Amino acid sequence: MAELEAKLEELRAMAAQGDAVAIGDDITRLEGKARDALLQLYANLSPSQKTQVARHPLRPHFSDYAASLFEEFDPLAGDRKFGDDNAILGGLARFRGRAVCLIGQEKGSTTETRIKHNFGMARPEGYRKAVRLMELADRFSLPVISLVDTAGAFPGLDAEERGQAEAIARSTDACLSLGVPNVAVIIGEGGSGGAIAIATANRVLMLEHAIYSVISPEGAASILWRDTAKAQEAAMNMKITAQDLLRFHVIDSIIAEPPGGAHRAPEVAMQAAGDAIEAALGEMDGMDPAALRKARREKFLAIGRNL
């Protein structure tokens, strides 16, 4: 792919400087060849390769989705107990005519923003902020939309001292207790409790090349074989892809990505995610709080039964 694309760029540059007609056929032929190669490559990605795609730095992040799909997004900060956490962002917004509560992890797209957002790895105050927002949404009957993209909760000493495990558990419980519809979308990495803390939803959707797992392939390889070089083997056996998880009924549907992944056509990928979210919310229109809680509870109890 890299060779084909480099050749295409070279021909386009030549066309811009000289006779575009003379090499137009070559460009068209190479574009078709590159498109076919891309489709074939991405149709047969291994779990390890999907992990790389899910982590691609140019994939659209939470802030991109918030800007593209939502209007009047008003971020809310702080957990009212300790402080604010920039790895989890959230607030009130409008989504295609609906007032909603939007929550998600932000990894950042530059060195500065990645450090600011701690690479999407939240501390306890991030999950407690999520709980506060979910309780606010419940009070005002606002659907909750979660965009999940994290390698996991932050494992630092300060996070453990402030009750990381308890904060994750309470956030998961807050999801289960909601009397309003909630939809979670795994847009990149869905890592461990850090992901499920905001993804315990009535509908869990995944982008085609996203991953969702209890631990990273590298972490699993380190624990099982004490050798991170076996991460590919771990990824294969952990069943972390959207296709595997749909087969196991862990997720509800897969959102198709553009050829070559979401990073090649971010706006197309985000609009597809928006359509899937809208459809999921529409399925729950008219359900009362008790029915929503029961359906959510049964959904997650059924995972164990299905497996």
Side-chain angles (χ1 to χ4, degrees):
M1 281 307 307
E3 290 175 2
L4 285 170
E5 289 178 345
K7 184 63 175 176
L8 270 171
E9 288 302 315
E10 182 182 334
L11 287 174
R12 287 170 182 149
M14 291 170 58
Q17 295 173 1
D19 187 1
V21 176
I23 57 175
D25 290 342
D26 289 337
I27 291 176
T28 302
R29 179 178 57 79
L30 266 182
E31 284 177 339
K33 189 175 180 180
R35 183 168 55 253
D36 291 343
L38 190 67
L39 289 170
Q40 183 177 2
L41 175 65
Y42 273 77
N44 298 286
L45 292 178
S46 69
S48 179
Q49 290 170 327
K50 282 185 178 285
T51 300
Q52 295 177 50
V53 176
R55 294 171 176 171
H56 197 290
L58 296 182
R59 280 181 79 86
H61 296 139
F62 173 89
S63 56
D64 301 309
Y65 283 87
S68 177
L69 298 179
F70 298 85
E71 300 174 347
E72 302 176 34
F73 178 49
D74 188 10
L76 299 175
D79 65 349
R80 301 298 186 265
K81 292 180 174 69
F82 177 83
D84 193 27
D85 181 87
N86 287 315
I88 288 184
L89 302 180
L92 306 181
R94 288 197 174 275
F95 172 71
R96 299 186 178 183
R98 296 174 183 259
V100 300
C101 174
L102 175 64
I103 303 171
Q105 285 111 352
E106 171 61 50
K107 284 185 171 180
S109 55
T110 65
T111 300
E112 182 182 357
T113 56
R114 286 170 189 147
I115 293 171
K116 174 184 176 182
H117 297 292
N118 200 31
F119 301 87
M121 296 186 293
R123 291 176 167 83
E125 47 271 26
Y127 296 109
R128 291 177 180 131
K129 174 169 66 175
V131 170
R132 184 171 75 86
L133 293 175
M134 284 187 272
E135 290 175 346
L136 185 69
D138 210 17
R139 190 178 310 137
F140 292 101
S141 301
L142 303 177
V144 176
I145 298 171
S146 300
L147 303 179
V148 180
D149 189 15
T150 181
F154 185 61
L157 179 62
D158 60 332
E160 297 299 337
E161 288 176 338
R162 293 199 294 277
Q164 183 73 291
E166 184 268 351
I168 290 172
R170 289 199 180 276
S171 184
T172 306
D173 179 62
C175 288
L176 287 167
S177 302
L178 282 171
V180 295
N182 60 336
V183 178
V185 186
I186 317 298
I187 60 175
E189 283 187 278
S192 193
I196 203 168
I198 61 170
T200 313
N202 288 102
R203 299 287 187 276
V204 180
L205 319 177
M206 274 184 78
L207 264 68
E208 182 181 359
H209 301 307
I211 60 170
Y212 193 20
S213 63
V214 69
I215 191 173
S216 69
E218 295 84 359
S222 177
I223 291 171
L224 293 175
W225 298 291
R226 301 195 182 281
D227 184 0
T228 56
K230 293 193 174 184
Q232 290 188 24
E233 185 177 346
M236 179 67 71
N237 287 290
M238 288 167 61
K239 310 301 182 189
I240 61 177
T241 68
Q243 294 72 24
D244 282 329
L245 295 170
L246 181 63
R247 181 160 55 91
F248 292 138
H249 305 288
V250 172
I251 64 169
D252 298 290
S253 65
I254 298 173
I255 302 168
E257 295 190 27
H263 56 282
R264 287 180 176 266
E267 194 58 40
V268 173
M270 290 188 287
Q271 290 304 316
D275 293 342
I277 293 169
E278 184 177 29
L281 288 174
E283 292 171 1
M284 293 179 279
D285 281 343
M287 293 180 68
D288 61 54
L292 287 165
R293 293 189 189 100
K294 181 179 180 181
R296 195 181 300 120
R297 172 185 169 84
E298 289 301 316
K299 167 187 169 60
F300 282 90
L301 285 174
I303 291 175
R305 299 185 187 117
N306 289 328
L307 291 178

